Structures are given as structure tokens and as C-alpha cells.
Amino acid sequence: MVSIRVLVLAAVAAAAGRAAGMFDGDSAVRQLTPANFDLVLERTSQPTFVKFYAPWCGHCQTLEPEYERAATRTHGIAKFYAVNCDEESNRGLCARYNVQGFPTLKVFTEKRTKRGSRRAVDYQGARKASAMAKHARSMLPSLSTKLGADGLDTFVTSSQLPKAVLLTERSKPGDLWRGVAAHFDRKVQLAHIVKPDEATLERLGVDKLPAIAVFPEHTDPSVAEIYTGDSKYLPLAKFIHATAIARKPVRQPKAQTSPVALDVQQIETQADLERLCISPAGNSPVPILCIIGVIALEPEFEESRAEHAQAVTVLESVLSGQRLRSPHAPTQPSSNIDDYDDIEGDNSADDSSEPSPPLRVAWVNALGTAGQQVRTMFGLSDDLPTAVAVSPRKHAAAPYRGAFTSADMLDWADQCYEGRGMRRIAGELIISGKPDAGHDEL
């Protein structure tokens, strides 16, 4: 006869095993942390579920297989993520979304706040895979424009974004195309032509439907890449990314001769500014771009510490995100920043390429004397937090003006890499000053 004690211990051990393996390995659900949360959510407009949980929570363990099945069923049209609120580093993120019990399910829509963040609502439906999948499909936005036979050229040249057009015999595009449109929202404009005429098909060289025509250059509607492969999300999304966004292969760099800072460090002295942005020590190359976040920090106040931590998290997202997306920054193997890095990270390595100088990201306390000097030197806004991009090689800089979000700042960093908005700096980059009472000296 098995004792109750043995049964209880076995049940506890089984529960602990399930908790330890929650969303690990090949799970369709990816874990998020403060370092990648904003960046991941802002990169897409697909309906996005986020499960805030604790591994020891019985209800969380019960929900896990249903949540997994929902993620698998909606692959390509919705995203499912999880945040472990038991992790010390994640507790601020859980508090930010007012998580008071486990599991808490939040759904992020395509609608955005004035600061660019996606709006979150509580999921109140049944916690079954079928119900969550149905809810995700019901939230899928319609971001594909319906074109007439004579509207193709006008659409292709309507904005600077690359375009992708579905040619179909169906009366309206299905969930797959709507999911693709939501994934590429704000990166590629999508449209569809229902029952295209023979002239359009002949012009594009299409002999069977459905087909996708990708126009990488908005200035030339005569140049199109045609996809007639499987109507499946992954190969279709890879094709659009490769032809409309990547275009040129991303090369892997040779090993750096000296380590490059991968974290966001504080500038407290002129020596820090030199080390991080202007003249790195040893054989480390001078960075193409150094982004300095100007953040207020009053360490004696809990609210100030929380706001500072959130701003630093945005800067960390910019650092990691820029390394993944910029053709100028050193690339690294995909770090699974979201479900579809296998789309965006499918580039062949070339060991013969030379490494580009790295992006550096640092921060300075806006309330200190040196922080005030930085704001004055670069004409920064009084709205905090803010930032400035400095190009040590070109002795130029560009102040940041916009919402302090990962996506917006990544776009700004891309523009700065291309030289847009950069202006010559008058004089030397020198910060100095006496310490303010209650604040660190720079």
C-alpha cells in the first residue's frame, strides 16, 4: 500500500518538474524579459498573448498545454509569449502591467498609444486552446489594401516602403495573408488584387495563382520578385523579408581583437566618455555611433529608480536590436528575440568580411552637472528621458526627438547610421563639473 506521504511527494516532484520545464526547448511559446519585451512587441502588429506566470502556480501549470496548443494553432497569425514573474529581474515588468495573480493573460492589439507602445487588454475568455485561438483570429487586423486592376503602379510608388501584392482568385485574402501583413506592418506595405486581369499577369510574368509580387523599390514598379511557392507562413515570410527588407546578405564579422561592451554603462567621468565613445582602449575600434541616454535618477526615491530602470531597459533593447537589424553594426547569430528570427536571421556567413566598428550605448544622469552640460551641448529636449547619437569619427551628433520606445529609437539609430539628421559638433566633446548634492559626479 502506497502511503499518502509518498503520493504527496510524488505529486510535488511531478509539479516541480513541469514547472522547471515550462516553455523550454522547442516550445512554440517564447519567454520575454525586460531586455527584449518592448522591442519584441513593437516589431509586430499581430495579436499577441502574454502569459504572466509563476512556475510554482498550479493554475499556470494547468494552462501550459492549452497555451502551447493555441500558439501552435495560430502560428503565423498571432504570437504567444510568457513572462516568469518569479524571476527577480522580471518583477518590475510584471508590476508595470499590474499583475496581481497567476496566471494573468494580457492581449496586445495593433492599436498603439501616442508614445508608440501597443495597447494591452485583459483576456477574459475561456482558457482553452480553441477559445484563445479563436480570440486571436478575431483580433487579426486587416492591413492589406484591396487594389483594382489599374491601381498597382500608384500603390507601388505611394510611399518609400517596399511593397508586396497578393494575386488571388479568392474574393478576399485569408488569415495567412492578414497575418503576414500584420507581421510586416510599418516595414512592408501589403495589398491584394482579386482575380487579376491577363494584362497584369502577363506584365508580372505570373502563370498561376495565387502568387506574390514583391516590389523592393518604390520608385520602379516594373521591378518585381515573384513568389509562387507553398502557401505556408514561414517560406512566404522568409521570401518577403529577403526580397523586400534584407536584399543584401548580412555578413558575419571576424573576431574582435578586444572585447566590445555589450551592456549599457553609465558615463560618470570624462574618462568614461573617452573609454565608451571616443577613444576605446587597446585594439577596440572607435564606434561608428555612440548613443547616450539622458535619464533622471534620484536613487533615494523608489519611483525614480523604477523609471530609470525602465529607460535603461529601452537602451538595452536598442543595443541588442541594432546588432540584429543593422547592416552596419556587427552581426551575431540569431538570439531568438521573437518567434520569427529564423526569418530574419537566415543569412550566410562570410568569414572574409571585415568587422564594422560597434555601436555603443551608455547613459548619463540628467540631474547632475555633467548631465545638464550634455543637454545644453546638444540642445536636448527638457522632456526626460531623452538621448543623443554621437559619431566620434565624423565629429557629428543628432539629438533624439520622439517617444522613448525601443522601436522608435531603433528607427532613429538606423537613420543616424545613414547620416540623416547628423550635424557637425562645434568644439570638443568634454564634460566636467562639480558634483551636485545627492547625485553622482560626472
Side-chain angles (χ1 to χ4, degrees), residues 87-116:
E87 292 283 347
E88 181 68 31
S89 59
N90 292 343
R91 290 180 181 175
L93 181 58
C94 298
R96 171 178 159 189
Y97 286 98
N98 196 31
V99 176
Q100 298 180 346
F102 304 121
T104 291
L105 294 182
K106 299 280 185 179
V107 185
F108 291 79
T109 72
E110 85 280 7
K111 297 179 180 178
R112 299 175 186 264
T113 67
K114 292 182 179 179
R115 294 182 63 86

Side-chain angles (χ1 to χ4, degrees), residues 21-34:
M22 195 171 289
F23 307 127
D24 287 341
D26 297 328
S27 171
V29 179
R30 296 289 174 85
Q31 296 275 1
L32 296 182
T33 68

Side-chain angles (χ1 to χ4, degrees), residues 23-105:
F23 307 127
D24 287 341
D26 297 328
S27 171
V29 179
R30 296 289 174 85
Q31 296 275 1
L32 296 182
T33 68
N36 63 5
F37 187 92
D38 289 329
L39 178 61
V40 166
L41 265 69
E42 289 161 16
R43 286 176 64 180
T44 181
S45 291
Q46 288 184 350
T48 304
F49 273 72
V50 178
K51 172 186 175 181
F52 295 88
Y53 74 98
W56 46 261
C57 161
H59 291 298
C60 302
Q61 296 167 21
T62 301
L63 176 60
E64 180 187 3
E66 296 291 334
Y67 199 69
E68 283 273 9
R69 281 193 285 271
T72 301
R73 291 179 185 181
T74 58
H75 175 67
I77 66 170
K79 296 188 177 184
F80 282 72
Y81 296 111
V83 175
N84 181 358
C85 295
D86 219 30
E87 292 283 347
E88 181 68 31
S89 59
N90 292 343
R91 290 180 181 175
L93 181 58
C94 298
R96 171 178 159 189
Y97 286 98
N98 196 31
V99 176
Q100 298 180 346
F102 304 121
T104 291
L105 294 182

Side-chain angles (χ1 to χ4, degrees), residues 196-382:
D197 57 26
E198 288 298 326
T200 301
L201 296 177
E202 184 177 352
R203 167 190 162 182
L204 296 173
V206 173
D207 55 10
K208 68 174 183 177
L209 298 178
I212 314 294
V214 176
F215 299 86
E217 299 294 340
H218 73 282
T219 57
D220 192 353
S222 67
V223 177
E225 299 284 345
I226 306 300
Y227 176 85
T228 56
D230 291 341
S231 296
K232 294 182 179 179
Y233 176 77
L234 194 57
L236 175 54
K238 279 188 174 183
F239 179 83
I240 293 176
H241 177 82
T243 54
I245 298 177
R247 302 183 213 174
K248 297 180 181 180
V250 177
R251 299 179 181 273
Q252 297 286 357
K254 292 181 179 179
Q256 297 283 354
T257 52
S258 294
V260 174
L262 297 178
D263 57 341
V264 176
Q265 300 182 30
Q266 183 180 4
I267 294 176
E268 298 183 272
T269 65
Q270 178 68 22
D272 291 336
L273 180 63
E274 295 280 344
R275 175 176 58 86
L276 293 172
C277 290
I278 302 175
S279 302
N283 295 323
S284 294
V286 175
I288 290 177
L289 205 65
C290 182
I291 293 177
I292 303 174
V294 182
I295 308 169
L297 174 61
E298 296 178 281
E300 61 270 28
F301 297 110
E302 182 177 356
E303 182 178 0
S304 177
R305 294 197 302 270
E307 291 176 351
H308 167 265
Q310 183 174 342
V312 170
T313 295
V314 170
L315 293 178
E316 290 172 342
S317 298
V318 171
L319 178 59
S320 59
Q322 189 65 33
R323 290 175 181 278
L324 285 172
R325 70 190 274 187
S326 173
H328 305 281
T331 56
Q332 297 177 1
S334 167
S335 60
N336 293 326
I337 201 161
D338 71 5
D339 283 344
Y340 307 116
D341 262 358
D342 46 357
I343 296 169
E344 303 185 2
D346 189 20
N347 298 294
S348 59
D350 184 346
D351 292 336
S352 66
S353 60
E354 290 298 325
S356 298
L359 168 78
R360 299 292 181 88
V361 180
W363 71 276
V364 62
N365 192 344
L367 303 179
T369 302
Q372 293 169 8
Q373 288 179 342
V374 168
R375 292 165 64 185
T376 301
M377 182 188 309
F378 298 109
L380 302 184
S381 168
D382 290 334

